[in-house]
C-alpha cells in the first residue's frame, strides 16, 4: 500500500482541536485509490491520490497540528508560500496548532495535494495538515492565553510594525542569478509590487522593492526573511527601508515601475539615483561570492516553486498526472509538454488506469516547477491534475513483458532542453501561454507556411511576428489549450534540411 506516510490530509471536517493521529482515508475523506498493479514493478502496489469527490466542501483555511514548541510564524508561513499568497495566520498558544489562510481555495487544495505526497516537516518534526471548518480567518490584535486564536500581526519579527512600504533586499550565497523578474514573482505573492530597483553596492547585489501598502511589506518580511530562493543558496536578507517612495527613471532589467509602463529603457543608464544609494546607509551585510546582477530573465518562474522547499527531505522527482484523455495521450506527448520545465527521464501510463501517468523528472526542482505550471491546464480537452508521487523512480517493464508501449525511457533523449549547463533555455522558462516562441526556422519558410502548419494542429492563429533575422518568431493562438496542443505536435517538427522547429511558451504577446 503506497499511502500518504504520516501526514493527515483530506476533507474530513470535524473539530479543529487536537485530533487523534488516525488517517482520514475513508471514502468520505475524498481520497480515492488508484491502482497501478503491474504498472510500476509490483502487482500489489496502489497509489494514494488526493482527489476531491462528491460535494465535499473546500476551504482556503488549513488547520496545521503537531507543530514544534516555539515554532515561528515564518516557519509556518513557509509551508504555504510555494502554493500562493498567504493572507493570514493564527496560532493556538499552548496547543502546537495553527491556522493558515491562503488567497484561494485552489491554492489550499494544491497545498494539501502536495503535502499528501511529501510529508511536511518543521525542525525535522512531521506536521499534520487538513482543511479547517473556518471559511476565513477573522482576527483581532489581542494576545490572550488559554488557546485563544491570536493574530499573526502581533508576532515579533525583530523589526516592529512596518511604517514604510519599501523593503531593502540583499541576496546572500548568490550562486545562481537573481533578477528583477524573479524578485517580482516571489514578492507579488504578498501584495501589489509597484516598483523595484536592483543595483550593486560594495560588490553586493541588492534591491529596493515598493509595495502599495506597508502591511504587504510587513507580511513579506515576516515570511521571506532568511528563506532561500533556490535550494541551499540565494538567501533573502530583508529590512525595512527608510525610504517611503522610490523614484524609478527607466523600465529595464535593473529597474521597473509597474505603474508607469511608458518609461524609457534608458539605454544602459544607471537605474538608481546616487542620492538614493547614499540614503541607504552603511549597514549592508556582505555577499558570499558576490555576483553582479545578470540581465537575463534567469528562469523567473522557477523561483515560485522553490522558496522554502529545501527542507522536504526524501522527496523524489516523480510526478503523478491524472485526468488525462486516455484516448489521445501518449508517453511522447507527456515527454514533450513536461519537457518544457525539465528533462523528463521516464514516462509510464498506468496499465490499469490509463487516464493517469507517472513522470520522472531529472530532479525535485524540475518536478516542482512542472507541477506548479501544468496542474490545472487543459491537455486534449481535459483539465489535468499534477501532484507529487510517492514513488522514487519509474520502473521499466520486466524483460519480455509487453506493456503496450505505455512506458518509455527518455534518459538519453537528445531533446532534453536543460542538459547543457548554462543553456539559454534556463532563461526562458515561462507559464503556459497562448503565445509561442519559435526558433530554428529555415530561411525559406514564410509566415504563411507557419500559419498553415499551426492551423493544421486544430487551432486558430490570431497573430504572427517574425524576429528581424527570420530565424525566430512569435505566434499567438486563440487559447492556451490550443498553444499547448501546438507545442506537443510541432516541437522538434522537421521543417526540411534537418531544421527541427523549436517551440516554447513565450512571456510576450503580439
Amino acid at each position: 500500500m503506497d499511502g500518504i506516510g504520516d501526514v493527515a490530509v483530506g476533507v474530513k471536517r470535524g473539530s479543529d482541536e487536537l485530533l487523534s493521529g488516525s488517517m482520514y482515508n475513508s471514502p468520505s475523506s475524498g481520497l480515492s485509490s488508484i491502482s497501478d498493479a503491474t504498472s510500476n514493478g509490483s502487482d500489489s502496489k496502489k497509489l494514494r491520490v488526493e482527489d476531491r469527490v462528491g460535494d465535499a466542501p473546500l476551504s482556503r483555511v488549513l488547520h496545521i497540528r503537531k507543530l514544534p514548541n516555539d515554532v515561528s510564524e515564518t516557519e509556518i508561513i513557509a509551508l504555504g508560500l510555494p502554493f500562493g499568497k498567504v493572507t493570514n495566520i493564527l496560532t493556538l498558544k499552548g496547543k502546537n496548532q495553527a491556522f493558515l489562510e491562503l488567497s484561494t481555495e485552489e491554492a489550499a487544495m494544491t497545498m494539501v495535494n502536495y503535502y499528501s505526497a511529501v510529508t511536511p516537516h518543521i525542525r525535522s518534526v512531521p506536521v499534520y495538515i487538513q482543511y479547517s471548518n473556518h471559511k476565513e480567518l477573522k482576527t483581532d490584535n489581542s494576545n490572550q492565553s488559554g488557546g485563544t486564536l491570536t493574530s499573526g500581526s502581533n508576532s515579533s519579527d525583530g523589526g516592529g510594525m512596518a511604517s514604510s512600504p519599501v523593503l531593502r533586499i540583499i541576496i546572500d550565497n548568490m550562486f545562481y542569478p537573481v533578477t528583477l523578474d524573479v524578485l517580482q514573482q516571489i514578492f507579488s505573492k504578498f501584495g501589489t509590487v509597484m516598483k523595484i530597483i536592483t543595483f550593486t553596492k560594495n560588490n553586493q547585489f541588492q534591491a529596493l522593492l515598493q509595495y502599495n501598502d506597508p502591511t504587504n511589506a510587513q507580511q513579506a518580511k515576516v515570511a521571506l526573511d532568511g528563506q532561500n530562493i533556490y535550494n541551499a543558496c540565494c538567501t533573502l536578507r530583508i529590512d525595512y527601508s527608510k525610504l517611503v517612495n522610490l523614484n524609478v527613471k527607466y523600465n529595464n532589467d535593473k529597474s521597473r515601475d509597474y505603474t508607469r509602463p511608458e518609461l524609457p529603457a534608458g539605454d544602459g543608464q544607471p537605474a538608481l539615483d546616487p542620492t538614493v544609494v547614499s540614503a541607504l546607509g552603511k549597514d549592508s551585510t556582505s555577499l558570499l561570492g558576490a555576483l553582479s546582477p545578470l540581465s537575463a530573465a534567469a528562469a523567473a518562474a522557477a523561483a515560485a516553486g522553490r522558496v522554502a522547499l529545501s527542507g522536504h527531505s526524501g522527496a523524489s522527482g516523480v510526478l503523478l498526472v491524472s485526468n488525462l484523455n486516455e484516448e489521445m495521450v501518449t508517453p511522447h506527448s507527456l515527454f514533450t509538454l513536461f519537457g518544457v520545465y525539465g528533462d523528463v527521464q521516464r514516462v509510464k501510463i498506468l496499465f490499469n488506469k490509463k487516464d493517469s501517468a507517472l513522470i520522472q523528472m531529472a530532479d525535485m526542482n524540475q518536478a516542482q516547477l512542472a507541477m506548479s505550471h501544468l496542474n490545472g491546464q487543459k491537455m486534449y480537452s481535459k483539465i489535468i491534475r499534477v501532484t507529487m508521487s510517492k514513488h522514487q523512480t519509474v520502473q521499466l517493464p520486466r524483460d519480455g513483458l509487453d506493456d503496450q508501449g505505455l512506458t518509455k525511457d527518455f534518459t538519453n533523449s537528445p531533446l532534453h532542453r536543460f542538459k547543457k549547463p548554462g543553456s539559454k533555455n534556463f532563461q526562458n522558462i515561462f507559464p503556459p501561454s497562448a503565445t509561442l516562441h519559435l526558433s530554428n526556422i529555415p530561411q525559406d519558410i514564410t509566415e504563411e507556411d507557419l500559419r498553415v502548419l499551426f492551423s493544421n494542429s486544430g487551432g486558430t492563429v490570431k497573430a504572427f511576428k517574425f524576429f528581424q533575422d527570420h530565424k525566430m518568431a512569435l505566434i499567438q493562438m486563440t487559447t492556451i489549450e490550443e498553444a499547448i496542443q501546438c507545442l506537443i505536435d510541432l516541437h522538434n517538427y522537421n521543417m526540411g534540411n534537418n531544421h527541427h522547429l523549436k517551440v516554447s511558451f513565450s512571456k510576450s504577446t503580439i
Side-chain angles (χ1 to χ4, degrees), residues 53-54 64 78 154 156 216 335 351 395 472 487:
V53 294
I64 306 174
N154 252 1
S156 174
N216 301 137
F335 166 78
F351 186 83
Q395 295 185 18
M472 295 187 293
L487 184 144

PDB file of all heavy atoms in Angstrom, residues 53-54 64 78 154 156 216 335 351 395 472 487:
ATOM      1  N   VAL A  53     -13.918  14.349  -4.236  1.00  0.00           N
ATOM      2  CA  VAL A  53     -15.060  13.688  -4.849  1.00  0.00           C
ATOM      3  C   VAL A  53     -16.333  14.240  -4.223  1.00  0.00           C
ATOM      4  O   VAL A  53     -16.332  14.832  -3.157  1.00  0.00           O
ATOM      5  CB  VAL A  53     -14.989  12.159  -4.635  1.00  0.00           C
ATOM      6  CG1 VAL A  53     -13.807  11.585  -5.373  1.00  0.00           C
ATOM      7  CG2 VAL A  53     -14.912  11.796  -3.158  1.00  0.00           C
ATOM      8  N   GLY A  54     -17.440  14.004  -4.923  1.00  0.00           N
ATOM      9  CA  GLY A  54     -18.724  14.421  -4.391  1.00  0.00           C
ATOM     10  C   GLY A  54     -18.790  15.919  -4.187  1.00  0.00           C
ATOM     11  O   GLY A  54     -18.196  16.702  -4.900  1.00  0.00           O
ATOM     12  N   ILE A  64      -3.223  23.226  10.878  1.00  0.00           N
ATOM     13  CA  ILE A  64      -1.923  22.557  10.983  1.00  0.00           C
ATOM     14  C   ILE A  64      -1.703  22.155  12.439  1.00  0.00           C
ATOM     15  O   ILE A  64      -1.812  22.990  13.340  1.00  0.00           O
ATOM     16  CB  ILE A  64      -0.787  23.482  10.503  1.00  0.00           C
ATOM     17  CG1 ILE A  64      -1.100  23.993   9.096  1.00  0.00           C
ATOM     18  CG2 ILE A  64       0.554  22.764  10.526  1.00  0.00           C
ATOM     19  CD1 ILE A  64      -0.117  25.029   8.584  1.00  0.00           C
ATOM     20  N   ALA A  78       6.078  29.538   5.640  1.00  0.00           N
ATOM     21  CA  ALA A  78       6.929  28.956   4.589  1.00  0.00           C
ATOM     22  C   ALA A  78       6.312  27.696   3.990  1.00  0.00           C
ATOM     23  O   ALA A  78       6.560  27.374   2.826  1.00  0.00           O
ATOM     24  CB  ALA A  78       8.318  28.643   5.156  1.00  0.00           C
ATOM     25  N   ASN A 154       0.620  40.247  15.380  1.00  0.00           N
ATOM     26  CA  ASN A 154       1.200  40.531  16.680  1.00  0.00           C
ATOM     27  C   ASN A 154       2.585  39.954  16.853  1.00  0.00           C
ATOM     28  O   ASN A 154       3.233  40.199  17.839  1.00  0.00           O
ATOM     29  CB  ASN A 154       0.297  39.951  17.781  1.00  0.00           C
ATOM     30  CG  ASN A 154      -0.431  41.046  18.521  1.00  0.00           C
ATOM     31  OD1 ASN A 154      -0.274  42.213  18.204  1.00  0.00           O
ATOM     32  ND2 ASN A 154      -1.227  40.650  19.497  1.00  0.00           N
ATOM     33  N   SER A 156       6.483  39.068  16.822  1.00  0.00           N
ATOM     34  CA  SER A 156       7.692  39.873  16.832  1.00  0.00           C
ATOM     35  C   SER A 156       8.660  39.334  15.806  1.00  0.00           C
ATOM     36  O   SER A 156       9.068  38.196  15.854  1.00  0.00           O
ATOM     37  CB  SER A 156       8.337  39.830  18.222  1.00  0.00           C
ATOM     38  OG  SER A 156       9.580  40.489  18.196  1.00  0.00           O
ATOM     39  N   ASN A 216       1.623  44.979   3.381  1.00  0.00           N
ATOM     40  CA  ASN A 216       2.170  43.964   2.488  1.00  0.00           C
ATOM     41  C   ASN A 216       3.665  43.793   2.708  1.00  0.00           C
ATOM     42  O   ASN A 216       4.191  42.679   2.691  1.00  0.00           O
ATOM     43  CB  ASN A 216       1.902  44.333   1.024  1.00  0.00           C
ATOM     44  CG  ASN A 216       0.427  44.472   0.717  1.00  0.00           C
ATOM     45  OD1 ASN A 216       0.024  45.397   0.026  1.00  0.00           O
ATOM     46  ND2 ASN A 216      -0.403  43.571   1.224  1.00  0.00           N
ATOM     47  N   PHE A 335       6.094  13.598 -22.513  1.00  0.00           N
ATOM     48  CA  PHE A 335       7.511  13.949 -22.540  1.00  0.00           C
ATOM     49  C   PHE A 335       7.699  15.352 -23.115  1.00  0.00           C
ATOM     50  O   PHE A 335       8.469  16.166 -22.581  1.00  0.00           O
ATOM     51  CB  PHE A 335       8.281  12.929 -23.376  1.00  0.00           C
ATOM     52  CG  PHE A 335       9.671  13.355 -23.740  1.00  0.00           C
ATOM     53  CD1 PHE A 335      10.708  13.276 -22.832  1.00  0.00           C
ATOM     54  CD2 PHE A 335       9.947  13.850 -25.017  1.00  0.00           C
ATOM     55  CE1 PHE A 335      11.991  13.672 -23.175  1.00  0.00           C
ATOM     56  CE2 PHE A 335      11.222  14.247 -25.367  1.00  0.00           C
ATOM     57  CZ  PHE A 335      12.256  14.160 -24.448  1.00  0.00           C
ATOM     58  N   PHE A 351      -1.150   1.004 -16.370  1.00  0.00           N
ATOM     59  CA  PHE A 351      -1.745  -0.080 -17.149  1.00  0.00           C
ATOM     60  C   PHE A 351      -3.227  -0.233 -16.861  1.00  0.00           C
ATOM     61  O   PHE A 351      -4.044  -0.410 -17.768  1.00  0.00           O
ATOM     62  CB  PHE A 351      -1.002  -1.391 -16.844  1.00  0.00           C
ATOM     63  CG  PHE A 351      -1.430  -2.546 -17.704  1.00  0.00           C
ATOM     64  CD1 PHE A 351      -0.906  -2.720 -18.980  1.00  0.00           C
ATOM     65  CD2 PHE A 351      -2.355  -3.467 -17.237  1.00  0.00           C
ATOM     66  CE1 PHE A 351      -1.300  -3.775 -19.778  1.00  0.00           C
ATOM     67  CE2 PHE A 351      -2.760  -4.530 -18.029  1.00  0.00           C
ATOM     68  CZ  PHE A 351      -2.219  -4.683 -19.302  1.00  0.00           C
ATOM     69  N   GLN A 395       9.726   2.592 -12.778  1.00  0.00           N
ATOM     70  CA  GLN A 395      10.387   1.352 -13.173  1.00  0.00           C
ATOM     71  C   GLN A 395       9.999   0.960 -14.586  1.00  0.00           C
ATOM     72  O   GLN A 395       8.864   1.159 -15.015  1.00  0.00           O
ATOM     73  CB  GLN A 395      10.005   0.227 -12.196  1.00  0.00           C
ATOM     74  CG  GLN A 395      10.517   0.458 -10.776  1.00  0.00           C
ATOM     75  CD  GLN A 395      10.226  -0.729  -9.872  1.00  0.00           C
ATOM     76  OE1 GLN A 395       9.948  -1.828 -10.353  1.00  0.00           O
ATOM     77  NE2 GLN A 395      10.305  -0.506  -8.570  1.00  0.00           N
ATOM     78  N   MET A 472      13.660  33.276 -35.843  1.00  0.00           N
ATOM     79  CA  MET A 472      12.754  33.138 -34.696  1.00  0.00           C
ATOM     80  C   MET A 472      11.477  33.922 -34.980  1.00  0.00           C
ATOM     81  O   MET A 472      11.458  34.849 -35.798  1.00  0.00           O
ATOM     82  CB  MET A 472      13.412  33.632 -33.401  1.00  0.00           C
ATOM     83  CG  MET A 472      14.605  32.826 -32.956  1.00  0.00           C
ATOM     84  SD  MET A 472      15.218  33.313 -31.318  1.00  0.00           S
ATOM     85  CE  MET A 472      15.834  34.958 -31.665  1.00  0.00           C
ATOM     86  N   LEU A 487       2.342  23.019 -29.278  1.00  0.00           N
ATOM     87  CA  LEU A 487       3.681  22.716 -28.767  1.00  0.00           C
ATOM     88  C   LEU A 487       3.928  21.211 -28.776  1.00  0.00           C
ATOM     89  O   LEU A 487       5.000  20.740 -29.179  1.00  0.00           O
ATOM     90  CB  LEU A 487       3.848  23.297 -27.358  1.00  0.00           C
ATOM     91  CG  LEU A 487       5.238  23.156 -26.724  1.00  0.00           C
ATOM     92  CD1 LEU A 487       5.578  24.382 -25.881  1.00  0.00           C
ATOM     93  CD2 LEU A 487       5.350  21.897 -25.855  1.00  0.00           C
TER      94      LEU A 487
END
